[in-house]
Amino acid sequence: MASFHDFDSRYAVLFDLDGTIIDSRQGIISTLHHVIQTLGHQPDPSVDLTWVVGPPLSELMAHVLAHYGEDRVERAVEIYRARYQVAGRFDTPLFPGMAKLLRDLAASPVRLYTATSKPAFLARDILEMHGLENCFDRICGANDDDSGGEKPEMIARILVEYKASPERALMIGDRRFDINGAHANKLRSVGVLWGYGGEKELTEAGADVLVAEPQDLDETIRAQLHALARVRV
């Protein structure tokens, strides 16, 4: 099997963050509960909030608040961002093996980017907390006001701004947003099953390959890059 050092800097790997590199579920859900309480409602424990990890913040907030008959989305986003900055972002452990994988990739010529719906500054803070911010050629995410978090447009910007070819790029994520964003830009996609989308969602979105466990991602990335290299020959 090829190693990462067999590929030059024309190859790029794009990573989602939440549900792919970090397990952010509890930090996000606890922050949402804080928002609901601050707006004067009692969080309903019967409501499954697992799905909220992945979509842009303003989009998911409108859905969450609708259950409580609440429409103050802008205010809710303000409360969320303030709370997440001081509390939620610290409840974001790495999935097993991700630190080693990212450092191995960073030591190779392959270029590495994040493509996350989180604001880029928050993604940078979280990766810095784990000592991984320098693994990436660029940490790309939504704008500070949460705009620009849609994956098709974000991935397109990364390809253009950093002169990456879709024929030599790979997108890795746990939600349909990641797969759809990759396919909209003609990238090969890897769906990871330890995140928040699940096999059905990723399969229906058309992920090119699924990975069940974090420890298998290293080999999968190498195999996919090798497949891209064969196609280019």
Side-chain angles (χ1 to χ4, degrees), residues 4 17 20 23 33 50 52 77 79 97 99 111 115 135 158 217 223-224 230:
F4 294 137
L17 184 63
T20 302
D23 186 359
H33 285 168
T50 299
V52 303
V77 169
I79 297 167
R111 288 184 285 162
C135 291
I158 293 170
L217 185 55
Q224 293 301 305
R230 286 200 305 270

Side-chain angles (χ1 to χ4, degrees), residues 7 52 68 150 169 171 200 212 220 228:
F7 305 100
V52 303
Y68 300 92
E150 296 77 13
M171 176 67 199
K200 184 175 185 292
T220 299
L228 291 175

Side-chain angles (χ1 to χ4, degrees), residues 34-42 70 72:
H34 171 79
V35 171
I36 293 164
Q37 289 174 324
T38 302
L39 292 177
H41 307 281
Q42 184 62 33
E70 179 65 70
R72 289 175 287 173

Side-chain angles (χ1 to χ4, degrees), residues 36-212:
I36 293 164
Q37 289 174 324
T38 302
L39 292 177
H41 307 281
Q42 184 62 33
D44 183 349
S46 70
V47 176
D48 179 15
L49 293 178
T50 299
W51 67 271
V52 303
V53 185
L57 182 57
S58 58
E59 176 184 323
L60 72 87
M61 193 65 75
H63 286 284
V64 170
L65 295 182
H67 177 77
Y68 300 92
E70 179 65 70
D71 62 2
R72 289 175 287 173
V73 175
E74 289 187 10
R75 176 58 181 148
V77 169
E78 291 175 359
I79 297 167
Y80 180 97
R81 292 179 65 193
R83 178 69 173 186
Y84 194 84
Q85 181 68 12
V86 300
R89 70 186 180 100
F90 297 109
D91 194 2
T92 52
L94 295 172
F95 285 107
M98 293 307 301
K100 182 180 186 304
L101 171 61
L102 294 174
R103 288 177 179 131
D104 287 348
L105 273 164
S108 78
V110 176
R111 288 184 285 162
L112 201 56
Y113 303 96
T114 64
T116 173
S117 294
K118 260 186 170 50
F121 80 91
L122 263 181
R124 186 176 299 106
D125 286 350
I126 290 169
L127 289 166
E128 184 177 7
M129 179 175 69
H130 292 294
L132 296 174
E133 77 282 8
N134 292 329
C135 291
F136 294 88
D137 290 78
R138 187 59 62 98
I139 295 172
C140 302
N143 299 317
D144 290 358
D145 63 358
D146 295 297
S147 64
E150 296 77 13
K151 293 297 175 82
E153 292 78 9
M154 182 184 304
I155 292 171
R157 289 196 303 271
I158 293 170
L159 296 177
V160 171
E161 290 181 21
Y162 305 110
K163 297 179 173 58
S165 167
E167 293 85 5
R168 292 191 176 95
L170 187 65
M171 176 67 199
I172 300 168
D174 70 308
R175 297 298 310 272
R176 60 185 172 85
F177 311 102
D178 305 305
I179 308 306
N180 294 340
H183 291 171
N185 289 282
K186 304 186 186 308
L187 269 68
R188 192 174 294 240
S189 61
V190 175
V192 302
L193 298 181
W194 54 85
Y196 313 123
E199 184 173 2
K200 184 175 185 292
E201 176 178 309
L202 292 168
T203 300
E204 290 179 351
D208 293 290
V209 63
L210 298 179
V211 186

